[in-house]
Amino acid sequence: MAKHTVVTMPGDGIGKVVLPQALRVLEKVGFDAEYVHADIGWEFWVREGNPLPQRTLDLLEEHKLGLFGAITSKPKAEAAAELDPSLRDKGYVYYSPIVGLRQHFDLDICLRPCRSFPGNPLNFIRKKPGGGFEEPPVDVAIFRQNTEGLYAGVEWTDPPPEVRKALETHPKMARFKDVPSSDLAVSCRIFTREACRRICRAAFEYAAKKGYKSVTVCEKPNVVRETSGMMGEEARAAAGDFPGIDLWFTNIDAQMMWLTKDPEKYGVIVAGNLFGDIISDGFAGLVGGLGFACSGNIGPKAAVFEPTHGSAPKYAELDPPIVNPIAMILSAAMLLDHVGEEEKAEAVRKAVGEVVAEGRVRTYDMLRLRGGPEVIAKGAAATEEMTQAILERLP
Ligand code: NAI
Ligand code: MG
């Protein structure tokens, strides 16, 4: 029997293209695993009224380790219209299955490493004061709280009277007292101490393990005092156990301004859900964008690894496929890290780095081409050629 069982959830669109590429890489590095396929995505919404069927939850419950490609989400009305006629008007409501997975398994830590590979033409470059350009090496790992904050979904337009009444116990509600409830929209930012503690600890542990010198809490405690404040308290508490690692604080707005000024200064960054979402896209943009952005959703009982990109429906049917498999392959490397196969994970990242540095094989995004079937004739590598180049660099 294999040592690990990985639940593979290709999902929709290019999720189906990139996930098999990652499996080829995992096989080549000799990862001792078997794979079980699980259904997720649009197809299952349309056919069953559920994009995340119970059988998929059961598989993850059993095996606790998942690789996910991408899904297609559509607005409410469109989703309802595409539902199989036999299921219409039966109360089915579309929800994002990846958000569903995060909530169901309490995958509360989202880790998004953003490391530039030397030679990537998409790397951020900066003007030097004396003329010319420099390419600062970016190596940041973002820890985004994944289940709470503004994305927890506790919100109302036209809040019910008891909610309104409770809100009015707060003196700062006085300025809204004449606004009719129907004109009031409220989204609650809820942080729990336990979740703050877990993400701050995880950030410090990661910093210690991977040799980062600092952990930066990127929040806004001067304004959003209670929630950002709690994150800060827990970060200070965690920092006490890691004397060799500096704890810094930045505000999300200022951090975005500094994003391109000195990205090489940062190591590990911790943030709540919304700010973490923003800052991780910001850093991902400096190191190649969606074709390179990998992530892990890590909870106490299960973990699911996925590229940050979506299903890119425009490119889903192209033959040969042209999308960059690197984000998916790097996500698979994160899975290797997670199960303690760090050497194999490093081998994968090294192989990717070598292919990027050599510059012979580049997908269309790396050539800054507009996607389409003609990119191959313009010198872009197809998805499988990129995977092949990476495989050839692996022992
Ligand atoms: P997207 O990430 O699918 O694509 C945006 C653009 O980025 C693409 O048109 C393409 O130009 C580029 N791109 C994405 N992945 C790439 C890759 N591997 N290589 C090269 N270029 C790549 O985002 P979009 O178009 O906003 O959403 C499409 C669908 O995906 C929607 O239904 C959306 O809801 C869903 N989505 C799903 C996510 C997930 O599964 N976690 C995340 C984001 C969007
Ligand atoms: Mg994804």
Side-chain angles (χ1 to χ4, degrees):
M1 233 183 80
K3 198 165 159 199
H4 301 280
T5 301
V6 181
V7 179
T8 54
M9 297 166 277
D12 301 308
I14 64 163
K16 289 194 170 86
V17 172
V18 293
L19 195 130
Q21 311 301 316
L23 298 187
R24 290 171 69 196
V25 169
L26 288 174
E27 193 165 310
K28 180 80 199 279
V29 289
F31 181 42
D32 185 8
E34 52 194 316
Y35 302 92
V36 287
H37 169 91
D39 296 335
I40 194 167
W42 198 251
E43 215 180 307
F44 305 97
W45 160 251
V46 172
R47 272 202 269 146
E48 304 173 22
N50 185 0
L52 178 58
Q54 183 61 40
R55 55 188 182 276
T56 297
L57 294 175
D58 292 344
L59 280 173
L60 260 175
E61 187 78 49
E62 184 183 348
H63 302 297
K64 299 171 178 32
L65 197 56
L67 253 192
F68 169 68
I71 46 91
T72 296
S73 274
K74 295 184 192 178
K76 235 179 175 172
E78 254 176 86
E82 286 192 37
L83 201 54
D84 186 87
S86 68
L87 299 172
R88 283 187 207 152
D89 306 314
K90 297 229 165 92
Y92 292 105
V93 181
Y94 180 79
Y95 64 96
S96 157
I98 180 66
V99 175
L101 269 186
R102 290 171 189 153
Q103 302 283 350
H104 182 91
F105 289 102
D106 192 21
L107 305 175
D108 64 329
I109 293 168
C110 177
L111 169 56
R112 283 180 57 174
C114 299
R115 183 164 19 153
S116 51
F117 289 104
N120 185 350
L122 301 176
N123 284 346
F124 166 67
I125 54 165
R126 184 172 57 199
K127 248 186 188 166
K128 289 204 283 194
F133 293 89
E134 60 192 346
E135 193 176 306
V138 177
D139 182 1
V140 164
I142 292 147
F143 280 74
R144 161 189 172 193
Q145 210 296 325
N146 220 10
T147 46
E148 302 189 343
L150 275 168
Y151 294 8
V154 183
E155 50 181 4
W156 299 267
T157 299
D158 196 0
E162 61 272 28
V163 171
R164 174 119 203 199
K165 215 166 134 209
L167 287 171
E168 279 169 358
T169 61
H170 196 293
K172 294 258 168 78
M173 272 302 282
R175 66 181 304 236
F176 304 110
K177 71 179 190 320
D178 298 327
V179 182
S181 285
S182 56
D183 291 342
L184 206 58
V186 180
S187 301
C188 298
R189 190 180 206 239
I190 301 176
F191 281 24
T192 64
R193 192 172 295 284
E194 180 58 20
C196 292
R197 182 176 299 148
R198 270 182 50 78
I199 197 148
C200 290
R201 291 233 148 245
F204 272 97
E205 278 161 14
Y206 188 86
K209 191 166 163 194
K210 299 267 182 184
Y212 289 97
K213 295 190 171 53
S214 66
V215 170
T216 302
V217 177
C218 179
E219 276 287 325
K220 187 85 185 175
N222 52 337
V223 180
V224 203
R225 290 170 189 276
E226 305 305 325
T227 40
S228 291
M230 185 176 277
M231 188 68 90
E233 276 172 27
E234 291 308 317
R236 282 191 191 90
D241 294 338
F242 296 87
I245 298 168
D246 291 339
L247 173 61
W248 298 341
F249 291 91
T250 57
N251 286 337
I252 177 69
D253 48 343
Q255 182 80 64
M256 290 313 287
M257 194 175 61
W258 297 328
L259 184 67
T260 53
K261 193 163 167 267
D262 55 8
E264 70 272 40
K265 255 181 46 185
Y266 297 90
V268 174
I269 295 181
V270 193
N273 213 334
L274 174 64
F275 297 163
D277 198 3
I278 294 170
I279 199 71
S280 49
D281 270 14
F283 273 99
L286 305 181
V287 300
L290 289 175
F292 287 83
C294 54
S295 79
N297 304 277
I298 303 163
K301 283 183 269 168
V304 175
F305 298 86
E306 56 156 336
T308 303
H309 62 72
S311 60
K314 281 191 289 193
Y315 306 136
E317 305 298 329
L318 292 185
D319 186 18
I322 60 162
V323 292
N324 192 344
I326 289 179
M328 182 81 235
I329 289 168
L330 293 175
S331 303
M334 291 180 71
L335 180 148
L336 290 171
D337 271 330
H338 181 76
V339 299
E341 296 279 7
E342 278 99 350
E343 257 176 53
K344 292 186 168 64
E346 219 30 72
V348 172
R349 285 187 285 261
K350 185 164 168 277
V352 170
E354 285 173 10
V355 172
V356 172
E358 189 198 40
R360 191 176 51 84
V361 180
R362 286 176 171 168
T363 45
Y364 82 95
D365 54 320
M366 298 174 74
L367 297 175
R368 296 185 191 278
L369 292 170
R370 211 182 152 77
E374 63 288 348
V375 300
I376 304 289
K378 290 182 180 161
T383 306
E384 303 221 343
E385 286 175 72
M386 176 57 90
T387 310
Q388 193 54 40
I390 294 167
L391 292 175
E392 281 163 16
R393 299 282 178 164
L394 283 169

Tab-separated table of all heavy atoms in Angstrom, residues 181-228:
chain	number	residue	atom	x	y	z
A	181	SER	N	-33.572	50.669	7.886
A	181	SER	CA	-32.845	49.390	7.816
A	181	SER	C	-32.690	48.902	6.382
A	181	SER	O	-31.679	48.305	6.016
A	181	SER	CB	-33.561	48.326	8.649
A	181	SER	OG	-33.319	48.563	10.013
A	182	SER	N	-33.714	49.193	5.554
A	182	SER	CA	-33.627	48.726	4.166
A	182	SER	C	-32.476	49.404	3.413
A	182	SER	O	-32.050	48.932	2.363
A	182	SER	CB	-34.948	48.993	3.451
A	182	SER	OG	-35.254	50.371	3.537
A	183	ASP	N	-31.980	50.501	3.952
A	183	ASP	CA	-30.844	51.185	3.321
A	183	ASP	C	-29.543	50.937	4.082
A	183	ASP	O	-28.560	51.659	3.902
A	183	ASP	CB	-31.108	52.694	3.261
A	183	ASP	CG	-32.216	53.038	2.284
A	183	ASP	OD1	-32.533	52.186	1.427
A	183	ASP	OD2	-32.785	54.146	2.389
A	184	LEU	N	-29.558	49.916	4.898
A	184	LEU	CA	-28.380	49.622	5.713
A	184	LEU	C	-27.802	48.259	5.311
A	184	LEU	O	-28.530	47.264	5.291
A	184	LEU	CB	-28.823	49.573	7.184
A	184	LEU	CG	-27.808	49.891	8.272
A	184	LEU	CD1	-27.210	51.278	8.085
A	184	LEU	CD2	-28.487	49.794	9.637
A	185	ALA	N	-26.530	48.256	4.951
A	185	ALA	CA	-25.848	46.988	4.677
A	185	ALA	C	-24.747	46.815	5.720
A	185	ALA	O	-23.979	47.739	5.975
A	185	ALA	CB	-25.256	46.993	3.276
A	186	VAL	N	-24.677	45.630	6.310
A	186	VAL	CA	-23.719	45.380	7.386
A	186	VAL	C	-22.955	44.093	7.080
A	186	VAL	O	-23.559	43.049	6.851
A	186	VAL	CB	-24.458	45.194	8.740
A	186	VAL	CG1	-23.452	44.935	9.863
A	186	VAL	CG2	-25.330	46.395	9.059
A	187	SER	N	-21.636	44.174	7.047
A	187	SER	CA	-20.808	42.970	6.927
A	187	SER	C	-19.917	42.911	8.161
A	187	SER	O	-19.196	43.863	8.436
A	187	SER	CB	-19.940	43.022	5.672
A	187	SER	OG	-20.751	43.133	4.523
A	188	CYS	N	-19.980	41.826	8.884
A	188	CYS	CA	-19.252	41.749	10.151
A	188	CYS	C	-17.852	41.177	9.952
A	188	CYS	O	-17.674	40.169	9.275
A	188	CYS	CB	-19.987	40.846	11.139
A	188	CYS	SG	-21.605	41.473	11.546
A	189	ARG	N	-16.894	41.813	10.590
A	189	ARG	CA	-15.528	41.297	10.565
A	189	ARG	C	-15.300	40.577	11.893
A	189	ARG	O	-15.101	41.206	12.928
A	189	ARG	CB	-14.555	42.469	10.416
A	189	ARG	CG	-13.121	42.026	10.149
A	189	ARG	CD	-12.198	43.235	10.009
A	189	ARG	NE	-11.040	42.919	9.200
A	189	ARG	CZ	-9.771	43.018	9.638
A	189	ARG	NH1	-9.521	43.440	10.848
A	189	ARG	NH2	-8.774	42.720	8.834
A	190	ILE	N	-15.358	39.253	11.847
A	190	ILE	CA	-15.264	38.475	13.087
A	190	ILE	C	-13.928	37.731	13.124
A	190	ILE	O	-13.606	36.983	12.204
A	190	ILE	CB	-16.422	37.458	13.171
A	190	ILE	CG1	-17.763	38.217	13.132
A	190	ILE	CG2	-16.300	36.615	14.436
A	190	ILE	CD1	-18.975	37.310	13.111
A	191	PHE	N	-13.152	37.982	14.175
A	191	PHE	CA	-11.908	37.234	14.409
A	191	PHE	C	-12.089	36.467	15.715
A	191	PHE	O	-12.664	37.007	16.651
A	191	PHE	CB	-10.709	38.191	14.612
A	191	PHE	CG	-10.111	38.782	13.364
A	191	PHE	CD1	-10.843	38.909	12.186
A	191	PHE	CD2	-8.789	39.246	13.369
A	191	PHE	CE1	-10.274	39.477	11.045
A	191	PHE	CE2	-8.217	39.817	12.235
A	191	PHE	CZ	-8.959	39.934	11.073
A	192	THR	N	-11.589	35.259	15.780
A	192	THR	CA	-11.566	34.563	17.070
A	192	THR	C	-10.115	34.450	17.536
A	192	THR	O	-9.194	34.376	16.714
A	192	THR	CB	-12.161	33.141	16.976
A	192	THR	OG1	-11.340	32.361	16.108
A	192	THR	CG2	-13.597	33.171	16.454
A	193	ARG	N	-9.937	34.429	18.850
A	193	ARG	CA	-8.578	34.364	19.390
A	193	ARG	C	-7.879	33.081	18.949
A	193	ARG	O	-6.712	33.087	18.591
A	193	ARG	CB	-8.610	34.476	20.919
A	193	ARG	CG	-7.240	34.716	21.507
A	193	ARG	CD	-7.252	35.013	22.988
A	193	ARG	NE	-7.924	36.244	23.351
A	193	ARG	CZ	-7.423	37.476	23.181
A	193	ARG	NH1	-6.240	37.645	22.628
A	193	ARG	NH2	-8.104	38.539	23.551
A	194	GLU	N	-8.640	31.994	18.950
A	194	GLU	CA	-8.043	30.711	18.578
A	194	GLU	C	-7.500	30.741	17.134
A	194	GLU	O	-6.393	30.282	16.873
A	194	GLU	CB	-9.095	29.595	18.741
A	194	GLU	CG	-8.628	28.197	18.393
A	194	GLU	CD	-7.417	27.732	19.206
A	194	GLU	OE1	-7.138	28.290	20.288
A	194	GLU	OE2	-6.722	26.815	18.715
A	195	ALA	N	-8.278	31.313	16.231
A	195	ALA	CA	-7.826	31.359	14.836
A	195	ALA	C	-6.627	32.305	14.693
A	195	ALA	O	-5.685	32.022	13.938
A	195	ALA	CB	-8.968	31.801	13.932
A	196	CYS	N	-6.653	33.425	15.404
A	196	CYS	CA	-5.509	34.351	15.359
A	196	CYS	C	-4.257	33.654	15.893
A	196	CYS	O	-3.177	33.748	15.313
A	196	CYS	CB	-5.787	35.603	16.197
A	196	CYS	SG	-7.072	36.661	15.510
A	197	ARG	N	-4.469	32.932	16.996
A	197	ARG	CA	-3.333	32.238	17.609
A	197	ARG	C	-2.770	31.213	16.632
A	197	ARG	O	-1.566	31.130	16.420
A	197	ARG	CB	-3.811	31.543	18.887
A	197	ARG	CG	-2.723	30.814	19.644
A	197	ARG	CD	-3.277	30.231	20.941
A	197	ARG	NE	-3.785	31.280	21.817
A	197	ARG	CZ	-4.812	31.138	22.660
A	197	ARG	NH1	-5.454	29.994	22.740
A	197	ARG	NH2	-5.199	32.150	23.409
A	198	ARG	N	-3.658	30.439	16.014
A	198	ARG	CA	-3.186	29.388	15.108
A	198	ARG	C	-2.403	29.952	13.927
A	198	ARG	O	-1.350	29.438	13.565
A	198	ARG	CB	-4.382	28.566	14.586
A	198	ARG	CG	-4.706	27.369	15.462
A	198	ARG	CD	-5.854	26.535	14.908
A	198	ARG	NE	-5.707	26.187	13.498
A	198	ARG	CZ	-4.914	25.216	13.039
A	198	ARG	NH1	-4.232	24.468	13.865
A	198	ARG	NH2	-4.835	24.989	11.748
A	199	ILE	N	-2.910	31.029	13.356
A	199	ILE	CA	-2.222	31.522	12.165
A	199	ILE	C	-0.905	32.207	12.536
A	199	ILE	O	0.093	32.070	11.824
A	199	ILE	CB	-3.122	32.412	11.280
A	199	ILE	CG1	-2.498	32.516	9.897
A	199	ILE	CG2	-3.386	33.779	11.863
A	199	ILE	CD1	-3.462	32.659	8.786
A	200	CYS	N	-0.886	32.904	13.654
A	200	CYS	CA	0.366	33.558	14.065
A	200	CYS	C	1.424	32.520	14.413
A	200	CYS	O	2.584	32.632	14.018
A	200	CYS	CB	0.121	34.504	15.241
A	200	CYS	SG	-0.833	35.969	14.750
A	201	ARG	N	1.022	31.488	15.135
A	201	ARG	CA	1.964	30.403	15.486
A	201	ARG	C	2.477	29.732	14.211
A	201	ARG	O	3.673	29.473	14.073
A	201	ARG	CB	1.288	29.331	16.338
A	201	ARG	CG	0.935	29.772	17.699
A	201	ARG	CD	1.495	28.830	18.794
A	201	ARG	NE	1.777	29.670	19.938
A	201	ARG	CZ	2.989	29.891	20.426
A	201	ARG	NH1	4.029	29.274	19.943
A	201	ARG	NH2	3.173	30.718	21.430
A	202	ALA	N	1.550	29.430	13.321
A	202	ALA	CA	1.940	28.748	12.074
A	202	ALA	C	2.947	29.605	11.310
A	202	ALA	O	3.914	29.090	10.742
A	202	ALA	CB	0.714	28.471	11.219
A	203	ALA	N	2.731	30.921	11.318
A	203	ALA	CA	3.637	31.821	10.598
A	203	ALA	C	5.035	31.794	11.211
A	203	ALA	O	6.042	31.697	10.492
A	203	ALA	CB	3.069	33.240	10.613
A	204	PHE	N	5.095	31.846	12.523
A	204	PHE	CA	6.412	31.809	13.179
A	204	PHE	C	7.091	30.461	12.995
A	204	PHE	O	8.298	30.392	12.761
A	204	PHE	CB	6.271	32.155	14.673
A	204	PHE	CG	6.355	33.635	14.920
A	204	PHE	CD1	5.212	34.397	15.055
A	204	PHE	CD2	7.594	34.270	14.982
A	204	PHE	CE1	5.285	35.768	15.264
A	204	PHE	CE2	7.683	35.641	15.187
A	204	PHE	CZ	6.525	36.396	15.330
A	205	GLU	N	6.314	29.390	13.112
A	205	GLU	CA	6.919	28.063	12.930
A	205	GLU	C	7.496	27.914	11.525
A	205	GLU	O	8.587	27.382	11.339
A	205	GLU	CB	5.870	26.966	13.193
A	205	GLU	CG	5.708	26.688	14.672
A	205	GLU	CD	4.402	25.983	15.025
A	205	GLU	OE1	3.722	25.460	14.111
A	205	GLU	OE2	4.072	25.977	16.227
A	206	TYR	N	6.755	28.414	10.550
A	206	TYR	CA	7.203	28.347	9.157
A	206	TYR	C	8.479	29.176	8.984
A	206	TYR	O	9.443	28.735	8.351
A	206	TYR	CB	6.097	28.871	8.252
A	206	TYR	CG	6.320	28.686	6.773
A	206	TYR	CD1	5.962	27.497	6.136
A	206	TYR	CD2	6.854	29.717	5.996
A	206	TYR	CE1	6.135	27.340	4.770
A	206	TYR	CE2	7.035	29.561	4.625
A	206	TYR	CZ	6.666	28.364	4.017
A	206	TYR	OH	6.841	28.221	2.662
A	207	ALA	N	8.478	30.374	9.582
A	207	ALA	CA	9.654	31.252	9.488
A	207	ALA	C	10.871	30.540	10.064
A	207	ALA	O	11.959	30.542	9.465
A	207	ALA	CB	9.387	32.566	10.210
A	208	ALA	N	10.672	29.897	11.217
A	208	ALA	CA	11.796	29.220	11.870
A	208	ALA	C	12.295	28.062	11.007
A	208	ALA	O	13.492	27.897	10.780
A	208	ALA	CB	11.365	28.713	13.239
A	209	LYS	N	11.358	27.293	10.480
A	209	LYS	CA	11.709	26.110	9.705
A	209	LYS	C	12.398	26.478	8.397
A	209	LYS	O	13.350	25.819	7.971
A	209	LYS	CB	10.425	25.338	9.422
A	209	LYS	CG	10.635	23.966	8.870
A	209	LYS	CD	9.338	23.182	8.968
A	209	LYS	CE	9.369	21.979	8.086
A	209	LYS	NZ	8.037	21.402	7.911
A	210	LYS	N	11.919	27.540	7.760
A	210	LYS	CA	12.441	27.873	6.434
A	210	LYS	C	13.516	28.961	6.477
A	210	LYS	O	13.975	29.430	5.430
A	210	LYS	CB	11.293	28.351	5.531
A	210	LYS	CG	10.212	27.305	5.319
A	210	LYS	CD	10.480	26.495	4.065
A	210	LYS	CE	9.382	25.484	3.814
A	210	LYS	NZ	9.659	24.635	2.666
A	211	GLY	N	13.855	29.426	7.678
A	211	GLY	CA	14.960	30.379	7.798
A	211	GLY	C	14.607	31.824	7.469
A	211	GLY	O	15.494	32.618	7.147
A	212	TYR	N	13.351	32.209	7.570
A	212	TYR	CA	13.002	33.627	7.388
A	212	TYR	C	13.344	34.385	8.670
A	212	TYR	O	13.221	33.853	9.768
A	212	TYR	CB	11.505	33.790	7.086
A	212	TYR	CG	11.097	33.308	5.715
A	212	TYR	CD1	10.549	32.038	5.539
A	212	TYR	CD2	11.251	34.122	4.597
A	212	TYR	CE1	10.167	31.587	4.289
A	212	TYR	CE2	10.864	33.683	3.336
A	212	TYR	CZ	10.329	32.416	3.187
A	212	TYR	OH	9.939	31.974	1.947
A	213	LYS	N	13.729	35.644	8.508
A	213	LYS	CA	14.193	36.408	9.671
A	213	LYS	C	13.108	37.248	10.311
A	213	LYS	O	13.285	37.778	11.413
A	213	LYS	CB	15.356	37.314	9.247
A	213	LYS	CG	16.560	36.502	8.810
A	213	LYS	CD	17.785	37.366	8.627
A	213	LYS	CE	19.025	36.514	8.395
A	213	LYS	NZ	18.841	35.541	7.280
A	214	SER	N	11.973	37.423	9.609
A	214	SER	CA	10.942	38.285	10.182
A	214	SER	C	9.550	37.756	9.884
A	214	SER	O	9.326	37.067	8.883
A	214	SER	CB	11.063	39.701	9.605
A	214	SER	OG	10.763	39.672	8.219
A	215	VAL	N	8.625	38.104	10.776
A	215	VAL	CA	7.200	37.895	10.542
A	215	VAL	C	6.550	39.274	10.638
A	215	VAL	O	6.763	40.000	11.607
A	215	VAL	CB	6.581	36.934	11.578
A	215	VAL	CG1	5.055	36.922	11.450
A	215	VAL	CG2	7.139	35.525	11.409
A	216	THR	N	5.801	39.641	9.607
A	216	THR	CA	5.137	40.940	9.585
A	216	THR	C	3.630	40.745	9.691
A	216	THR	O	3.051	40.009	8.898
A	216	THR	CB	5.445	41.669	8.258
A	216	THR	OG1	6.869	41.815	8.147
A	216	THR	CG2	4.789	43.043	8.205
A	217	VAL	N	3.028	41.408	10.655
A	217	VAL	CA	1.568	41.387	10.730
A	217	VAL	C	1.073	42.570	9.903
A	217	VAL	O	1.422	43.714	10.171
A	217	VAL	CB	1.071	41.515	12.182
A	217	VAL	CG1	-0.459	41.559	12.223
A	217	VAL	CG2	1.597	40.366	13.019
A	218	CYS	N	0.311	42.267	8.852
A	218	CYS	CA	-0.158	43.318	7.950
A	218	CYS	C	-1.659	43.497	8.178
A	218	CYS	O	-2.469	42.735	7.637
A	218	CYS	CB	0.146	42.895	6.519
A	218	CYS	SG	-0.414	44.082	5.319
A	219	GLU	N	-2.001	44.466	8.995
A	219	GLU	CA	-3.404	44.688	9.375
A	219	GLU	C	-3.693	46.184	9.393
A	219	GLU	O	-3.109	46.931	8.597
A	219	GLU	CB	-3.676	44.017	10.737
A	219	GLU	CG	-3.997	42.513	10.612
A	219	GLU	CD	-5.399	42.287	10.036
A	219	GLU	OE1	-6.306	43.080	10.333
A	219	GLU	OE2	-5.590	41.326	9.273
A	220	LYS	N	-4.549	46.628	10.267
A	220	LYS	CA	-4.900	48.053	10.322
A	220	LYS	C	-5.402	48.390	11.735
A	220	LYS	O	-6.534	48.843	11.911
A	220	LYS	CB	-5.995	48.313	9.263
A	220	LYS	CG	-6.379	49.760	9.059
A	220	LYS	CD	-5.500	50.502	8.108
A	220	LYS	CE	-5.891	51.972	8.080
A	220	LYS	NZ	-5.006	52.809	7.269
A	221	PRO	N	-4.552	48.125	12.743
A	221	PRO	CA	-5.031	48.233	14.131
A	221	PRO	C	-5.333	49.660	14.575
A	221	PRO	O	-6.038	49.852	15.557
A	221	PRO	CB	-3.882	47.647	14.948
A	221	PRO	CG	-2.692	47.755	14.070
A	221	PRO	CD	-3.165	47.670	12.658
A	222	ASN	N	-4.827	50.652	13.843
A	222	ASN	CA	-5.124	52.037	14.218
A	222	ASN	C	-6.574	52.403	13.916
A	222	ASN	O	-7.111	53.355	14.454
A	222	ASN	CB	-4.158	53.009	13.525
A	222	ASN	CG	-4.107	52.796	12.019
A	222	ASN	OD1	-4.423	51.711	11.517
A	222	ASN	ND2	-3.746	53.817	11.272
A	223	VAL	N	-7.222	51.643	13.029
A	223	VAL	CA	-8.610	51.938	12.667
A	223	VAL	C	-9.547	50.771	13.032
A	223	VAL	O	-10.550	50.955	13.710
A	223	VAL	CB	-8.734	52.273	11.162
A	223	VAL	CG1	-10.182	52.566	10.805
A	223	VAL	CG2	-7.852	53.456	10.803
A	224	VAL	N	-9.188	49.588	12.548
A	224	VAL	CA	-10.020	48.417	12.846
A	224	VAL	C	-9.450	47.802	14.122
A	224	VAL	O	-8.767	46.778	14.087
A	224	VAL	CB	-9.986	47.405	11.684
A	224	VAL	CG1	-11.226	46.512	11.721
A	224	VAL	CG2	-9.930	48.089	10.337
A	225	ARG	N	-9.720	48.484	15.225
A	225	ARG	CA	-8.958	48.242	16.444
A	225	ARG	C	-9.152	46.863	17.046
A	225	ARG	O	-8.191	46.245	17.518
A	225	ARG	CB	-9.349	49.269	17.504
A	225	ARG	CG	-8.873	50.631	17.158
A	225	ARG	CD	-9.467	51.679	18.069
A	225	ARG	NE	-9.120	52.976	17.546
A	225	ARG	CZ	-7.976	53.583	17.788
A	225	ARG	NH1	-7.080	53.034	18.568
A	225	ARG	NH2	-7.725	54.756	17.247
A	226	GLU	N	-10.379	46.414	17.068
A	226	GLU	CA	-10.656	45.188	17.828
A	226	GLU	C	-10.090	43.956	17.122
A	226	GLU	O	-9.346	43.191	17.725
A	226	GLU	CB	-12.170	45.031	18.041
A	226	GLU	CG	-12.830	46.234	18.708
A	226	GLU	CD	-12.189	46.611	20.044
A	226	GLU	OE1	-11.753	45.693	20.771
A	226	GLU	OE2	-12.118	47.817	20.345
A	227	THR	N	-10.457	43.787	15.860
A	227	THR	CA	-10.019	42.582	15.156
A	227	THR	C	-8.514	42.617	14.855
A	227	THR	O	-7.780	41.695	15.204
A	227	THR	CB	-10.823	42.405	13.849
A	227	THR	OG1	-10.998	43.689	13.231
A	227	THR	CG2	-12.185	41.816	14.135
A	228	SER	N	-8.050	43.700	14.236
A	228	SER	CA	-6.610	43.796	13.965
A	228	SER	C	-5.831	43.772	15.276
A	228	SER	O	-4.719	43.233	15.344
A	228	SER	CB	-6.288	45.089	13.213
A	228	SER	OG	-6.800	45.049	11.906
